[in-house]
């Protein structure tokens, strides 16, 4: 302990420059949090958190561009040469009577005191700037080397203070691939009610980080093992033990988690990862035995979509994420066959939306790989993708704006604006989707005129 230091060349010059400003004002400054942990793991850190004995007002006075982002908690953001640095005055937290927010923030006198309020030993590390001496009162460096998540002090005391820490332990395990110390695993089940009170947005951010990790299943299985899954994601907990004989070799929960792992391997965006996690949560509710004694899950994608909308709203996901994820879930059961007409291909594109095709392919691959338990090569979607790409490259006939006539043109031949014109336009689109050859001004006006006369 104590004598380790980070090789000076690993400390970005930018931080040394910032440190010089603190020093010239007679103040200390340390790199803290995940950045130090990541430097010790030989990884490039992305965001820089700094801790100082200077009060926020003093930091504001030291630099030209400072935003008081979290001044109530002693945090300001210094903008320096194109970087945003979070600078927090040494803190100690008094008590968390509600398990959610520290009641009062008191400033601490020393970096050691500041480190002692942090959650895990690997996060209770500081690097004195500019030279890079490591401050490590809890052998966090040893735990990083051992790849072990351990609480600063007694787990029960740390978990009662802030209910998010139980979930953070699990999240870091997935994100870093570290082991969680057994005392943490054993203690978490006693603090489920504290975690359940945490603001949904904070829980959501941890779930996102689990999903973004290289092997999300690790995080969710740890949630199950520590019993966090049931109160936080009951819809998923219900999928344990739901067997699906036939092609599936896993129960619905294991299948869903494996789908998340494959989505991570595909570097899929968040909505795909969420859809991979949730695409089958309707199965426990739609399961029926058919006459031959086989389980069926008829229209489960609609039930999954409905339950997912509830779940995602509960965690206050932005509407764009909710809509995107639910749409993918609803559409995940397509069954392409060679016999599909070009019109059927175009209708598929219209239903899914051109901008969502790649996401849906990724979801479908993750789903299929998770059914088989392995990557399936060559890509089974290739025949569909080839036809979709050809359709997209051909005459455009996917939306009203692709039509060679507009409402104005229809008015010019005497069709009055109103619901009937709307119907005529969408029938024209239907016509063109089936046969893009008809998408010329002349032909469409003729068809529209006929429709108008017929309906009069
Ligand atoms: P990353 O940003 O890579 O997810 P991190 O360790 O930087 O990981 P942050 O959530 O950014 O995590 O927090 C920065 C630091 O603040 C942590 O390393 C830890 O020292 C401290 N910290 C954050 N949240 C808590 C908490 N709930 N309880 C105690 N300490 C915390
Ligand atoms: Mg961080």
């Amino acid at each position: 302990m104590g004598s380790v230091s980070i090789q000076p060349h690993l400390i970005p010059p930018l931080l040394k420059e910032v440190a010089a400003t603190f020093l010239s004002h007679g103040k200390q400054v340390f790199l803290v949090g995940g950045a130090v942990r990541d430097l010790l793991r030989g990884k490039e850190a992305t965001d820089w958190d700094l801790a100082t004995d200077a009060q926020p007002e003093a930091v504001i006075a030291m630099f030209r561009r400072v935003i008081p982002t979290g001044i109530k908690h002693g945090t300001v953001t210094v903008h320096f040469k194109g970087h945003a640095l979070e600078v927090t005055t040494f803190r100690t937290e008094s008590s968390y009577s509600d398990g959610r927010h520290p009641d009062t923030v008191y400033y601490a006198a020393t970096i050691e005191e500041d480190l002692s309020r942090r959650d895990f030993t690997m996060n209770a590390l500081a690097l004195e700037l500019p030279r890079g001496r490591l401050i490590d009162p809890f052998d966090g460096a040893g735990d990083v080397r051992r790849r072990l998540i351990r609480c600063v002090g007694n787990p029960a005391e740390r978990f009662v203070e802030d209910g998010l820490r139980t979930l953070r332990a699990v999240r870091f395990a997935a994100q870093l691939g570290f082991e969680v110390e057994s005392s943490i695993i054993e203690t978490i089940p006693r603090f489920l009610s504290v975690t359940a009170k945490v603001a949904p947005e904070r829980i959501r951010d941890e779930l996102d980080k689990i999903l973004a990790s290289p092997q999300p299943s690790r995080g969710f299985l740890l949630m199950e093992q520590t019993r966090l899954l049931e109160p936080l994601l009951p819809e998923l907990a219900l999928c344990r033990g739901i067997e699906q004989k036939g092609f599936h070799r896993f129960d619905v929960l294991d299948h869903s988690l494996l789908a998340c792992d494959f989505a991570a391997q595909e570097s899929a965006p968040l909505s795909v990862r969420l859809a991979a996690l949730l695409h089958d949560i309707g199965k426990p509710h739609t399961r029926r035995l058919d006459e031959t004694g086989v389980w069926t899950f008829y229209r489960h994608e609609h039930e999954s979509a409905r339950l997912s909308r509830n779940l995602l709203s509960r965690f206050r996901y932005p509407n764009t994420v909710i809509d995107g994820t639910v749409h993918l879930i609803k559409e995940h059961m397509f069954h392409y066959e060679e016999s599909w007409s070009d019109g059927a291909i175009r209708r598929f594109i219209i239903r899914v939306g051109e901008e969502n095709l790649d996401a849906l392919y990724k979801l479908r691959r993750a789903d299929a790989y998770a059914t088989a338990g392995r990557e399936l090569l060559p890509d089974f979607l290739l025949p569909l993708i080839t036809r979709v790409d050809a359709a997209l490259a051909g005459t455009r006939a996917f939306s009203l704006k692709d039509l060679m006539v507009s409402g104005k043109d229809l008015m010019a031949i005497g069709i009055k604006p109103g619901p009937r014109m709307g119907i005529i336009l969408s029938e024209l689109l239907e016509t063109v989707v089936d046969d893009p050859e008809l998408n010329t001004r002349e032909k469409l006006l003729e068809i529209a005129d006929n429709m108008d006369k017929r309906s009069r």
Side-chain angles (χ1 to χ4, degrees):
M1 277 203 269
S3 62
V4 191
S5 56
I6 301 272
Q7 290 178 325
H9 72 268
L10 287 176
I11 301 172
L14 167 91
L15 291 184
K16 296 184 187 173
E17 281 182 58
V18 169
T21 304
F22 280 92
L23 258 54
S24 72
H25 286 79
K27 293 299 176 189
Q28 301 176 304
V29 66
F30 298 83
L31 184 64
V32 290
V36 184
R37 185 187 70 224
D38 291 341
L39 282 175
L40 284 175
R41 296 164 63 227
K43 298 261 148 78
E44 187 89 39
T46 43
D47 54 332
W48 308 104
D49 294 327
L50 302 176
T52 178
D53 59 347
Q55 303 262 322
E57 297 70 30
V59 179
I60 290 173
M62 265 181 232
F63 294 91
R64 204 175 301 149
R65 289 186 54 219
V66 186
I67 317 289
T69 38
I71 195 116
K72 271 194 300 195
H73 313 286
T75 302
V76 298
T77 302
V78 173
H79 290 265
F80 189 83
K81 299 200 169 168
H83 292 261
L85 307 162
E86 294 238 310
V87 182
T88 306
T89 306
F90 295 160
R91 267 169 32 179
T92 151
E93 269 146 34
S94 54
S95 72
Y96 294 66
S97 50
D98 63 355
R100 293 206 218 180
H101 310 287
D103 298 331
T104 335
V105 174
Y106 292 110
Y107 294 132
T110 64
I111 184 68
E112 285 80 5
E113 202 183 332
D114 178 276
L115 293 178
S116 69
R117 71 166 171 92
R118 294 174 185 265
D119 47 6
F120 305 110
T121 59
M122 63 179 186
N123 291 344
L125 293 160
L127 212 57
E128 187 175 19
L129 296 174
R131 284 182 36 249
R133 184 173 65 97
L134 190 68
I135 319 292
D136 179 13
F138 309 102
D139 194 21
D143 286 333
V144 170
R145 204 172 46 243
R146 287 184 284 275
R147 303 170 61 81
L148 184 65
I149 299 170
R150 210 159 50 85
C151 282
V152 170
N154 179 320
E157 281 169 28
R158 306 332 303 268
F159 295 156
V160 78
E161 286 168 350
D162 179 356
L164 192 68
R165 291 175 182 159
T166 54
L167 192 56
R168 277 173 63 87
V170 164
R171 178 266 279 196
F172 280 118
Q175 194 178 34
L176 307 173
F178 283 19
E179 290 300 317
V180 184
E181 205 199 28
S182 56
S183 68
I184 290 183
I185 306 253
E186 286 153 20
T187 307
I188 290 178
R190 288 167 37 214
F191 294 90
L192 303 178
S193 61
V194 189
T195 302
K197 282 190 297 180
V198 172
E201 294 85 347
R202 295 180 74 206
I203 294 184
R204 175 196 65 207
D205 290 348
E206 298 302 319
L207 295 177
D208 284 353
K209 286 179 180 172
I210 294 177
L211 282 171
S213 70
Q215 205 186 332
S217 62
R218 247 183 83 80
F220 293 110
L221 288 173
L222 274 167
M223 283 180 73
E224 185 184 35
Q225 190 190 348
T226 55
R227 309 226 308 266
L228 282 166
L229 195 63
E230 192 356 85
L232 298 182
L233 299 167
E235 298 89 341
L236 268 177
L238 262 184
C239 294
R240 175 57 81 212
I242 302 292
E243 301 290 340
Q244 17 185 9
K245 291 274 147 48
F247 323 108
H248 287 265
R249 304 159 53 210
F250 307 98
D251 72 8
V252 175
L253 182 57
D254 282 331
H255 166 73
S256 307
L257 300 187
L258 203 49
C260 292
D261 290 353
F262 282 114
Q265 258 182 43
E266 297 234 335
S267 306
L270 176 68
S271 60
V272 173
R273 295 181 193 228
L274 282 167
L277 182 68
L278 305 175
H279 71 286
D280 278 348
I281 58 175
K283 281 195 168 171
H285 309 269
T286 53
R287 188 164 74 146
R288 303 277 180 277
L289 266 185
D290 73 6
E291 324 67 73
T292 63
V294 172
W295 288 115
T296 63
F297 303 91
Y298 184 59
R299 286 174 64 80
H300 74 271
E301 65 274 27
H302 297 277
E303 185 63 3
S304 298
R306 191 182 68 78
L307 292 171
S308 297
R309 183 171 289 285
N310 281 343
L311 185 155
L312 297 169
S313 310
R314 193 164 80 229
F315 288 112
R316 317 264 195 276
Y317 274 92
N319 283 331
T320 50
V321 175
I322 300 180
D323 292 342
T325 305
V326 169
H327 179 60
L328 291 174
I329 293 173
K330 215 179 263 168
E331 296 301 334
H332 86 274
M333 291 297 289
F334 62 87
H335 296 287
Y336 170 71
E337 283 170 25
E338 234 180 292
S339 60
W340 280 18
S341 66
D342 289 344
I345 293 281
R346 278 187 289 273
R347 259 185 278 278
F348 171 77
I349 297 173
I350 292 169
R351 199 176 66 239
V352 174
E354 204 177 328
E355 67 286 6
N356 304 316
L357 286 167
D358 271 329
L360 189 65
Y361 297 153
K362 286 198 158 84
L363 174 63
R364 190 49 184 270
R365 282 189 205 105
D367 186 8
Y369 298 173
T371 300
R374 64 185 170 88
E375 207 173 325
L376 301 170
L377 289 173
D379 185 5
F380 65 96
L381 288 175
L382 210 56
L384 170 66
I385 295 175
T386 309
R387 298 227 12 229
V388 165
D389 288 350
L392 287 170
T395 322
R396 299 214 47 104
F398 300 107
S399 71
L400 289 181
K401 65 181 191 318
D402 292 328
L403 286 180
M404 296 309 282
V405 296
S406 66
K408 259 197 205 143
D409 298 320
L410 299 191
M411 276 160 67
I413 61 164
I415 301 174
K416 300 212 169 51
R420 203 166 78 218
M421 180 183 283
I423 293 170
I424 292 178
L425 277 168
S426 57
E427 281 189 24
L428 288 181
L429 179 59
E430 278 293 303
T431 308
V432 161
V433 166
D434 281 327
D435 186 359
E437 299 268 297
L438 298 175
N439 195 8
T440 67
R441 227 184 106 75
E442 201 183 21
K443 286 191 184 126
L444 291 185
L445 286 179
E446 193 187 315
I447 297 168
D449 194 39
N450 274 332
M451 285 178 181
D452 187 42
K453 284 194 185 115
R454 241 191 301 124
S455 60
R456 251 192 285 210

